[in-house]
Amino acid sequence: MRILTVALLQLAPAGPELESGLAAGEAACRRARAMGADIAVFPEMWSNGYASAVPDELRGGLYRHPQRWDAAAPPPAPLPEAVWLGEAIDRDSPFVRHFQALAAELDMAIALTYLERWDGPPRNTVSLIDRHGRPVLHQAKVHTCAFGLPEALLTPGESFGTCELDTAAGTVRVGAMICYDREFPESARALMLAGAEIVLVPNACEMEFNRLTQLRARAYENMTAVALANYAGPGFGHSAAFDGIAFADGRSRDTLVVEAGELPGVFPAVFDLDALRDYRRRETWGNAFRRPRAYGSLTDTTVSEPFVRVDSAGRPLRGPARR
């Protein structure tokens, strides 16, 4: 039996200062390794604790259905540097390099999240660092929350990719999607088609019943394991993992591996890779019986009623966020 343990780092935000996130993050990683983790996953945008200075009136509703706009338009959107607290950092910044060295020291992969400096607005990124300290996957959030600030001031990612991750349990094909990405079935489907066996999900929002059920479905329909790490605290928490094995010995089974409460902690999710791989070879979901020629509308960029959204001037969402 090949066992892979993914530690869900359900932490309280350390604040926008890199030094605070570095110290708290290192302590959590060390605890994860002591618990036998092969991979540690941070919540979304750990480098600044997803901290922003956004007026309440700009947190949502930048794009609405035309009939939902009234005469009172919202104030002009500020620049990214006036919204995101803490600095955007490069992939080779001292912050990222510190966790590369830590991964090599601990012999444990780390899925590190941060506000990434980019050509234009920053990106919301997770870098998967292998147990030798090498970055093997960079994934930016594709479905940024463009309907409101602060995420309207981000550059979205353009695709979903996977990598071969060397672990003590052998090589595993891993992908990632970030928070709002998991609310679109196409995200997990693209990762499955790219070979993902396990999908890592950094998160920063309430994981209530509907979102947890949705996450369970992503694992079920793609026959992939999923592991989500959320921030701790009231209204947050509930980091969770599902193994994607919906049936065993001819019977339905619960795919839940672990679900946290709201308190901070490190929560190990233990996956049986042999069982997952055997299940994927014999069951009917994933890519076994799809009919891609019937799915042409999935790549149609036309937006029709009732899903039309425009800004206060009547302009639809355009540019990279709409691709």
Side-chain angles (χ1 to χ4, degrees), residues 15 18 31 92 137-138 179 205 208 225 231 239 250:
L18 290 173
R31 184 178 174 191
D92 62 349
L137 178 69
H138 299 290
C179 200
C205 73
E208 40 71 53
Y231 284 105
S239 298

Side-chain angles (χ1 to χ4, degrees), residues 193 287 289-298:
L193 292 173
N287 198 25
F289 295 97
R290 292 172 66 248
R291 301 288 177 92
R293 282 181 290 183
Y295 310 149
S297 60
L298 290 177

Side-chain angles (χ1 to χ4, degrees), residues 33-284:
R33 188 66 185 112
M35 299 169 77
D38 298 290
I39 308 171
V41 185
F42 278 96
E44 180 179 11
M45 212 182 290
W46 175 250
S47 68
N48 72 342
Y50 200 87
S52 66
V54 178
D56 288 342
E57 64 270 21
L58 290 178
R59 287 195 175 272
L62 292 183
Y63 289 86
R64 309 176 191 175
H65 188 276
Q67 295 178 5
R68 296 189 64 244
W69 279 108
D70 55 30
L79 296 173
E81 55 266 28
V83 169
W84 289 108
L85 300 180
E87 63 177 302
I89 59 176
D90 295 316
R91 293 177 183 179
D92 62 349
S93 66
F95 183 85
V96 175
R97 290 201 304 271
H98 179 88
F99 284 96
Q100 288 181 242
L102 182 64
E105 176 192 339
L106 298 179
D107 193 36
M108 178 184 73
I110 298 174
L112 178 67
T113 60
Y114 53 99
L115 182 65
E116 182 185 10
R117 183 177 290 117
W118 199 249
D119 183 14
R123 300 208 307 180
N124 182 343
T125 297
V126 56
S127 288
L128 180 58
I129 303 163
D130 73 9
R131 63 181 178 143
H132 310 292
R134 303 173 302 203
V136 290
L137 178 69
H138 299 290
Q139 179 66 58
K141 187 174 187 176
V142 172
H143 298 95
T144 54
C145 299
F147 47 78
L149 294 178
E151 288 214 5
L153 298 176
L154 286 175
T155 298
E158 296 184 344
S159 62
F160 292 97
T162 61
C163 70
E164 294 283 345
L165 182 68
D166 175 56
T167 75
T171 301
V172 184
R173 174 69 69 172
V174 180
M177 54 186 181
I178 300 175
C179 200
Y180 193 41
D181 283 334
R182 62 174 160 66
E183 302 204 16
F184 296 85
E186 296 88 348
S187 305
R189 181 55 44 107
L191 289 167
M192 179 275 293
L193 292 173
E197 298 176 283
I198 292 182
V199 177
L200 308 178
V201 190
N203 201 77
C205 73
E206 180 185 9
M207 286 303 295
E208 40 71 53
F209 172 81
N210 295 295
R211 288 185 175 123
L212 285 169
T213 302
Q214 188 182 58
L215 188 69
R216 179 191 293 268
R218 298 293 170 261
Y220 167 73
E221 63 202 7
N222 293 295
M223 296 196 288
T224 57
V226 296
L228 178 147
N230 201 20
Y231 284 105
F236 285 82
H238 295 279
S239 298
F242 298 91
D243 65 15
I245 305 174
F247 294 89
D249 300 321
R251 299 189 177 201
S252 174
R253 62 181 292 278
D254 188 354
T255 61
L256 180 67
V257 176
V258 65
E259 180 185 345
E262 294 184 341
L263 295 177
V266 175
F267 299 91
V270 179
F271 297 104
D272 182 341
L273 290 177
D274 289 334
L276 176 62
R277 287 165 176 168
D278 175 68
Y279 181 76
R280 299 182 96 204
R281 291 187 189 103
R282 61 183 168 82
E283 278 297 353
T284 59

